[in-house]
Amino acid sequence: MKFTCLCQGGGFNFPPCHILNVSGFHVLFDCPLDLSALTVFSPLPNDFYKAICKENSDSQNRQKVEKPLDANDLIFAEPWYKTVNNLHLWNVSFIDVVLISSPMGMLGLPFLTRMEGFSAKIYITEAAARIGQLMMEELICMNMEYRQFYGAEESSGPQWMKWEELELLPSALRKIALGEDGSELGGGCPCIAHVKDCISKVQTLRFGEEACYNGILIIKAFSSGLDIGACNWIISGAKGNIAYISGSNFASGHAMDFDYRAIQGSDLILYSDLSSLDSTEDIDQSSFSDDNNNWEELMNSLSNYDESVEEMEKLAFICSCAIDSVKAGGSVLIPINRVGVFLQLLEQIAIFMECSSLKIPIYIISSVAEELLAYTNTIPEWLCKQRQEKLFSGDPLFAHVKLIKEKKIHVFPAVHSPKLLMNWQEPCIVFSPHWSLRLGPTIHLLRRWSGDHNSLLVLENEVDAELAVLPFKPISMKASESSTLTKDTATEVSSVSRGMEDSCQFFRCYFILSLPLFRK
């Protein structure tokens, strides 16, 4: 067996990517896009900003001199999407199986499936496939604005990709575009519209459903608790069972909880993402021993650890900040990211507003929002027990159904929608893509409110806030960085590894646990 790390990833939005060689087959785990790299591109300029940038670019010759970054240092072109660079070093015809752990882990699939020689079998859960498809379609829709503005790309590649142009970029931007050693330029690709063709090659699974590949490997998905449809994997072969643990949440407020019992009896556990270990900081690390009783004790501890409580506290903090802003006369902009947290935040903000006797409109502006909201209310089998109980009591799975009927939430496909313009009121609370602050309605709204010191922008802690808001400076708008959507993967990693040193080996960016004594 050989386990190769192609990319260590960068949290929820950019999950790790690995290749496992088992029983003579190459299994690829996840195929993400590094959307944080979009920050090197300028948002789509408005007419006034376009005139200024054109004048600056025509009148001055850029020199390779380090100075504080400003908006003119960004790349004014249609964005390219950064794929896993090391994946391009592989002959894709050698990949036999692709296992996708989350919707974010499938965003790079359209780039992979169109490569010559690719014929691998792709497995993903039903819910993750549908949500991932909607995310792909929205990316293409938002990117289309750039294509309409800048026109078709040159056949020889865009001007900004020429080496003499890249060398003139400030070092901070050059590092993002090219990587630490300048080797990641080949991982960039223009946005492509092969979503339907990509999805047609996917085989969807339910949690616990077995799929047999080539009569040798038995593949099964089980819940990771990270988001709706997100999963971990069990691969069973002639020589034993291997469990692959992606980013996980032991107790979720929306998705089905982490299925820890599924990994019991595995001969090998591969931890691809250290964020799945963060919850163990409050748990006795001595439980990680080679004793069967202690294994049961650890599993009971994990099942009793209510990680959703901490998540709800963070959501409550965001809601409190939002209410303070609208009370002061400002508006709130919340870029949409993790689907489950977005749905929970909608519920909590509505509750806070009702308690505060506020009648402020909540807008959701997204080309796929209507379809996404409808879909998430029809999938109880992918949700946590608390949500499933709502089904039996006759209540909607999520509160947005009732809130939309009561006209407390308004859903529109675009910021220029005539119905939105007729309905528009300020102050308001707006959910819209994209969290990178480079795509979609967020750009227009941020430009509108950036000078209002009472307004609030909720940013993700994975985002480089200074670089993200660079095109919108000077900015008076308050910005709040939230760790709700993702976890701090560095928290207590060293203590966790010390507590587990008797039963695992720390290898590069992941843990490998050999668990033959945990079998009953």
Side-chain angles (χ1 to χ4, degrees):
M1 189 197 80
K2 185 177 180 181
F3 192 41
T4 304
C5 177
L6 300 182
C7 176
Q8 297 184 16
F12 174 81
N13 292 310
F14 187 36
C17 179
H18 301 90
I19 282 187
L20 173 67
N21 187 344
V22 56
S23 299
F25 298 106
H26 289 93
V27 180
L28 174 67
F29 291 97
D30 291 313
C31 187
L33 290 178
D34 182 6
L35 297 178
S36 65
L38 292 176
T39 52
V40 302
F41 294 92
S42 171
L44 194 65
N46 54 33
D47 291 340
F48 174 73
Y49 194 49
K50 174 189 175 184
I52 294 177
C53 294
K54 187 177 188 303
E55 180 181 344
N56 288 342
S57 62
D58 290 342
S59 62
Q60 70 178 47
N61 293 320
R62 289 192 299 172
Q63 297 180 358
K64 194 175 179 180
V65 177
E66 290 299 324
K67 59 181 179 61
L69 288 175
D70 62 42
N72 287 331
D73 292 321
L74 299 175
I75 299 172
F76 290 83
E78 178 185 343
W80 273 40
Y81 295 81
K82 202 170 185 180
T83 57
V84 177
N85 187 57
N86 288 338
L87 185 56
H88 294 264
L89 303 179
W90 282 72
N91 185 337
V92 296
S93 64
F94 292 162
I95 299 175
D96 301 291
V97 178
V98 179
L99 301 181
I100 302 297
S101 305
S102 68
M104 297 302 297
M106 71 176 292
L107 295 186
L109 272 184
F111 299 89
L112 179 63
T113 55
R114 70 169 184 164
M115 295 177 68
E116 185 178 356
F118 179 83
S119 60
K121 192 70 175 179
I122 305 171
Y123 295 98
I124 185 173
T125 65
E126 293 174 359
R130 185 65 188 127
I131 293 173
Q133 180 180 358
L134 292 174
M135 294 173 68
M136 291 178 187
E137 292 172 351
E138 185 164 56
L139 272 179
I140 291 171
C141 180
M142 291 187 293
N143 189 83
M144 189 59 65
E145 294 184 21
Y146 280 89
R147 187 155 296 182
Q148 292 172 345
F149 184 86
Y150 288 109
E153 294 187 352
E154 307 168 27
S155 57
S156 58
Q159 179 71 22
W160 67 266
M161 286 190 67
K162 295 182 178 179
W163 189 253
E164 57 270 20
E165 293 291 329
L166 291 169
E167 284 192 318
L168 292 176
L169 286 175
S171 59
L173 301 183
R174 193 165 60 248
K175 180 179 176 181
I176 296 174
L178 303 179
E180 292 279 356
D181 56 359
S183 64
E184 295 184 10
L185 181 60
C189 296
C191 190
I192 56 177
H194 301 304
V195 174
K196 289 186 178 179
D197 180 62
C198 168
I199 295 298
S200 68
K201 299 176 181 177
V202 167
Q203 178 174 335
T204 58
L205 299 173
R206 299 183 297 274
F207 285 147
E209 180 182 358
E210 293 184 347
C212 182
Y213 178 78
N214 206 33
I216 297 177
L217 298 182
I218 302 297
I219 297 168
K220 184 166 61 174
F222 60 98
S223 176
S224 68
L226 185 65
D227 206 358
I228 300 173
C231 70
N232 297 318
W233 294 96
I234 292 285
I235 301 176
S236 302
K239 296 183 179 180
N241 303 327
I242 299 173
Y244 179 87
I245 310 297
S246 60
S248 299
N249 189 334
F250 288 110
S252 173
H254 56 279
M256 185 175 289
D257 292 344
F258 176 84
D259 186 0
Y260 60 88
R261 296 190 184 278
I263 65 176
Q264 189 170 7
S266 298
D267 298 297
L268 193 69
I269 298 181
L270 305 177
Y271 279 98
S272 70
D273 190 345
L274 293 180
S275 63
S276 62
L277 296 177
D278 288 345
S279 301
T280 62
E281 62 182 275
D282 296 327
I283 296 171
D284 183 9
Q285 301 298 332
S286 64
S287 298
F288 287 92
S289 69
D290 293 340
D291 184 272
N292 225 12
N293 293 329
N294 283 340
W295 168 258
E296 289 291 341
E297 184 179 336
L298 170 64
M299 293 299 98
N300 289 332
S301 298
L302 293 179
S303 63
N304 293 328
Y305 180 86
D306 194 355
E307 198 170 1
S308 62
V309 171
E310 182 182 356
E311 188 175 78
M312 295 306 294
E313 290 175 351
K314 293 177 181 178
L315 291 175
F317 176 74
I318 295 175
C319 294
S320 176
C321 294
I323 296 299
D324 290 343
S325 291
V326 295
K327 281 184 176 180
S331 294
V332 181
L333 177 58
I334 306 176
I336 297 172
N337 180 41
R338 185 173 156 194
V339 172
V341 174
F342 154 58
L343 297 176
Q344 287 180 277
L345 193 52
L346 272 178
E347 294 177 338
Q348 292 301 308
I349 283 183
I351 292 172
F352 270 68
M353 288 177 57
E354 187 173 346
C355 293
S356 304
S357 300
L358 288 173
K359 295 184 184 287
I360 301 296
I362 300 175
Y363 298 111
I364 304 173
I365 308 174
S366 164
S367 61
V368 300
E370 187 173 353
E371 193 171 355
L372 178 64
L373 292 174
Y375 177 73
T376 54
N377 205 51
T378 61
I379 50 173
E381 68 273 22
W382 302 97
L383 305 180
C384 61
K385 291 181 180 179
Q386 299 93 317
R387 300 283 172 181
Q388 292 178 356
E389 289 171 358
K390 290 178 176 288
L391 179 69
F392 300 111
S393 63
D395 296 327
L397 299 176
F398 291 96
H400 62 258
V401 176
K402 179 182 178 183
L403 296 171
I404 291 174
K405 286 182 179 179
E406 296 174 348
K407 298 189 182 303
K408 294 179 180 179
I409 292 178
H410 309 272
V411 183
F412 299 98
V415 72
H416 50 74
S417 170
K419 291 185 179 180
L420 172 61
L421 298 177
M422 292 176 61
N423 185 280
W424 186 258
Q425 297 179 41
E426 291 186 26
C428 59
I429 298 174
V430 179
F431 292 83
S432 68
H434 187 262
W435 55 265
S436 67
L437 306 188
R438 294 297 183 267
L439 299 166
T442 295
I443 298 173
H444 307 284
L445 296 170
L446 193 49
R447 285 197 175 120
R448 180 179 180 87
W449 295 327
S450 60
D452 183 1
H453 66 277
N454 289 321
S455 292
L456 173 68
L457 169 66
V458 179
L459 279 174
E460 214 181 316
N461 67 341
E462 286 182 9
V463 177
D464 183 338
E466 186 68 22
L467 186 55
V469 301
L470 181 64
F472 309 99
K473 290 183 176 181
I475 184 168
S476 303
M477 191 179 189
K478 293 177 292 186
S480 173
E481 286 188 299
S482 169
S483 60
T484 304
L485 307 184
T486 53
K487 304 177 185 178
D488 179 6
T489 58
T491 304
E492 297 296 325
V493 165
S494 59
S495 64
V496 171
S497 62
R498 286 196 300 271
M500 299 171 66
E501 62 186 359
D502 292 335
S503 59
C504 72
Q505 296 176 324
F506 186 58
F507 183 63
R508 294 187 70 177
C509 67
Y510 41 83
F511 281 100
I512 298 182
L513 269 69
S514 182
L515 304 173
L517 298 181
F518 286 170
R519 286 178 173 268
K520 285 188 175 180

